[in-house]
Amino acid sequence: MPQLPAVIQQQLEQALALKCYRRFYDFFLVFWQVIEPTMPLKENWHIEYLCNEAQQIVENLAARGDKEYDLIVSISPGETKSTIFSRILPAWVWLRDASLKIISGSYDFSLATSFTVKSRDIINSPQYQKIITTLSALKSHPQYAHELRHFKPFKLKGDQNVKSYYESDCGGMRIASSPGSRITGFHADLILVDDSVKPPSPKQGTGINYSDIQAAIHWVGKVLSSRKTDRKKTVTIYVQQRVAKKDVTDHLLRTLPMVKHIRLPATDRHPIEPPELRERYVNGFMNPHTTDDEVIREKTLQMTTSGWVAQFEQNPDEEGGGIWKAAWFGRFSMKDLPVTGVIWHSVTDTASTDDLNNSSTGMLAYTYIGGIFYVRSFKAVWVQADRLGYEYIKFLVQNGYDAVASKAEIEPKANGISFAQLMRNEDIVKLSATELEKQGIRASHVRRINTKPFDNVLIGEPTGDRKQQVRYLSMSKTDKAVHVANAIRAGRVKLLDESDLPPGENWQEFLEAAEDFPSTGITEVIDTVAYMIVSNEAVSAGALFSKFTTGSYANLYRRDEPLHLFWCIEPAVNRYRCIAVQLTEVSPGVAAIVVHDEFEASDLRNLCTELLDVYANHQQTAVHYHIMQPSAEHTQLAEIFSPRFEPYTRFGCKFASMFHFTGKATALRTISGNGKQKASEQLSSRANALATLLSGGYTLKTTPKFAGRKVSILIDVSCLKLSDAIRSLLRDYDNMDRYGDWVNAFSLGISKMLDTERELYRF
């Protein structure tokens, strides 16, 4: 290609230099090719618009005018915002005035440093240096002297030139910053903030930690705001997508005295600022090069509708901007609950740290009555492991913990499992209880906490395709939140009215975290509330897996009706269990199998002594069922439950014993109708038959006294292990190793009991 004449070449260079100096958008177009040589620019109207906005601010800075406003730009990811403001703009700022000082930052220091490096690449490029040389020559020309009065030819200082910090020889400075980094001693004329909080990726599935938001607010509101050369002149530009209702942008809009907000949602279905920009949308899209209906469908599948509304539509306040809504949570007063029989349970998601940048330990206290969850307290604490036990026990005793009846469930992650074990240690619990007593908090009645890990519930219809089911503990937080959303929307989770809360406590932080998720929030709110619902109902498409009822049924105990004792004796592992049951009339025409007590010990005689003590005044027959195959333990049980056993006489027992020691193979015909299957093949049949009973689908046919009546199962709240075992096994047969022996004893015992009741009432 023939070389242009020198005069023409000079004129072209002068024209390009003046064009780049006069207009930031033209400078952007030229230097896009420098930093993105392999990626063609897809031009859209918003790029020129944002460049013009930035130019107005920089021209005023170069003229040393007073600040008119700080600028906030809310825009979708992938719309060139970082290239405009963090990579190319700083190089143009020094083209206008190389004495200006710039602090630029982002949520991650390495990302902030990459921005400074790209700007330095532009400055060091031959094209930029040629513009500097050309403008230097033009500045001496009278025609351009006034226009170029702020222009200062410059070079980067060799002794102050590293990736995250460099200076111009005209006094200008550029330094990278991020939350937690130190910029003491540096002040700026222009502060650039590009995404102060790391946005969740489309497939992340979890929200931003609330502490990340708080750290970013501290960074922009306290740290960067104190790094201004002149508070009347320094301008801050915040460029970031919205991530939550109470995010950094929300904080800035509420606290900055002079601010201009440019809000460019991906579609025109949401508020646009300034409103007149709506006219520039093409077929409803801000940038048709990057967004169409197919893209929206794909993104909402990846990141949920709420994520799309916040990050792409810049409207986290919109309905759909969060999975849960604060308005869904009702209120209750303590006087709304029954006077007696209310048992308070707890759900805990542990984290042993006092670092506010990490997850907290979330603790929730609730009771479950008539299908409604009444939550009396939620507390998030950031404490080290050595103080966590104290805070945990304090929370329990202040929220109605009953050492016998209350469930204390803990998420079984690594530190959760070890913490649960510690809380079952009486010596360790005693230390915290003693300290609480010294502070005037009654805790001496707590000897150990009957902690248990979350069940790994199988979510999905129990008779459905296993491929359509998923285990609760493997679900993402977002999936958990969606799974129980209908229960919350229906008003079945109520919070204690603030008039009943201790002084200074409220639900604001809880509700903000619940409503902002998955964009942000104390995510322990999601874990504890979701498991509270799942653990009691195993929610699947709104249906209950387990339909037995728990409550206080001491009033249903009948001294003058048979007492049935289901024994599960395993001497090989020193495990002895017994379940005490009655079949009784709970109201006219209504029968129930009432489980009064469960006993467990490592010694058979000690267990029998405890049972004799509890039921010494029982006046009717006690029928014993040995759930295992007949063995030598029959003789031992018969020996114990006779006047020859010293405690029998000492307690003055009034009941006589009847022993029903038939084997497993013949014990199932009452419920399952099939006594020919081997015992090893009966587990599924027993569980299914029990599920039929629990759902109210079984009519008594074998007991004349209750013939033709529907029967339900009522389990006293004191029977924690049995109720947990039945609930867990009916959800998922894969829990058999953990809970099978309890359900085995219970289901076989019921079968034998109904058969025996028929025999008892025949005569």
Side-chain angles (χ1 to χ4, degrees), residues 298-326:
E298 179 183 347
K299 291 292 186 183
T300 51
L301 284 174
Q302 289 178 338
M303 64 192 308
T304 75
T305 300
S306 59
W308 169 267
V309 171
Q311 291 177 246
F312 284 80
E313 301 289 15
Q314 311 308 310
N315 192 21
D317 295 329
E318 170 75 8
E319 175 71 24
I323 297 173
W324 298 351
K325 300 299 174 188

Side-chain angles (χ1 to χ4, degrees), residues 691-704:
T692 302
L693 265 176
L694 295 175
S695 64
Y698 184 78
T699 302
L700 289 177
K701 299 178 181 179
T702 60
T703 305

Side-chain angles (χ1 to χ4, degrees), residues 326-521:
W328 295 354
F329 292 86
R331 295 293 187 273
F332 75 96
S333 172
M334 283 295 190
K335 64 183 180 182
D336 298 331
L337 302 179
V339 177
T340 60
V342 176
I343 305 299
W344 294 100
H345 308 292
S346 66
V347 178
T348 302
D349 182 8
T350 60
S352 302
T353 178
D354 56 6
D355 185 351
L356 293 178
N357 292 317
N358 293 325
S359 297
S360 66
T361 290
M363 301 177 288
L364 180 143
Y366 75 96
T367 189
Y368 180 53
I369 302 174
I372 303 296
F373 296 92
Y374 298 92
V375 180
R376 67 182 287 174
S377 182
F378 174 85
K379 188 174 184 181
V381 296
W382 287 264
V383 293
Q384 291 288 353
D386 59 342
R387 293 296 296 171
L388 183 55
Y390 169 83
E391 292 292 341
Y392 179 65
I393 295 171
K394 179 181 178 182
F395 178 81
L396 294 186
V397 298
Q398 289 181 332
N399 288 286
Y401 176 74
D402 185 299
V404 175
S406 294
K407 292 188 295 184
E409 298 180 284
I410 297 177
E411 185 172 11
K413 50 191 176 186
N415 58 348
I417 294 173
S418 59
F419 179 70
Q421 293 171 342
L422 286 175
M423 291 298 97
R424 290 194 290 269
N425 185 302
E426 293 188 11
D427 293 333
I428 292 176
V429 171
K430 185 178 180 180
L431 291 174
S432 295
T434 301
E435 185 176 351
L436 288 167
E437 288 282 345
K438 291 179 180 178
Q439 297 182 21
I441 301 173
R442 182 177 175 271
S444 59
H445 63 291
V446 180
R447 292 287 182 265
R448 65 195 296 270
I449 309 297
N450 294 317
T451 55
K452 68 178 291 291
F454 290 5
D455 289 332
N456 199 8
V457 178
L458 194 65
I459 301 298
E461 292 296 339
T463 57
D465 184 355
R466 282 295 181 96
K467 294 181 180 179
Q468 302 301 316
Q469 298 174 326
V470 61
R471 294 194 177 281
Y472 176 80
L473 294 179
S474 66
M475 294 170 70
S476 70
K477 293 181 190 294
T478 299
D479 288 341
K480 292 174 184 176
V482 171
H483 189 66
V484 301
N486 284 339
I488 303 173
R489 185 195 295 269
R492 295 180 48 235
V493 178
K494 298 182 182 294
L495 309 178
L496 182 60
D497 192 271
E498 294 192 358
S499 62
D500 284 354
L501 289 174
E505 292 190 13
N506 58 62
W507 293 105
Q508 180 179 351
E509 189 174 58
F510 175 93
L511 292 173
E512 287 181 357
E515 191 167 56
D516 288 349
F517 183 84
S519 300
T520 187

Side-chain angles (χ1 to χ4, degrees), residues 202-257:
K203 296 183 180 180
Q204 186 174 333
T206 58
I208 298 171
N209 195 298
Y210 184 73
S211 59
D212 290 344
I213 298 284
Q214 295 302 105
I217 289 175
H218 174 78
W219 177 54
V220 301
K222 300 293 185 182
V223 178
L224 293 182
S225 65
S226 67
R227 301 291 94 198
K228 299 177 179 180
T229 54
D230 187 331
R231 289 188 174 276
K232 291 184 178 181
K233 299 182 184 300
T234 296
V235 177
T236 305
I237 300 177
Y238 306 90
V239 188
Q240 51 199 8
Q241 57 190 281
R242 296 299 303 272
V243 294
K245 181 179 291 186
K246 301 294 184 181
D247 60 5
V248 177
T249 299
D250 172 77
H251 171 79
L252 294 171
L253 290 172
R254 288 186 289 105
T255 58
L256 290 178

Side-chain angles (χ1 to χ4, degrees), residues 6 151 220 286 351 466 525 592 596:
F151 169 74
V220 301
M286 191 277 288
R466 282 295 181 96
V525 169
H596 293 300

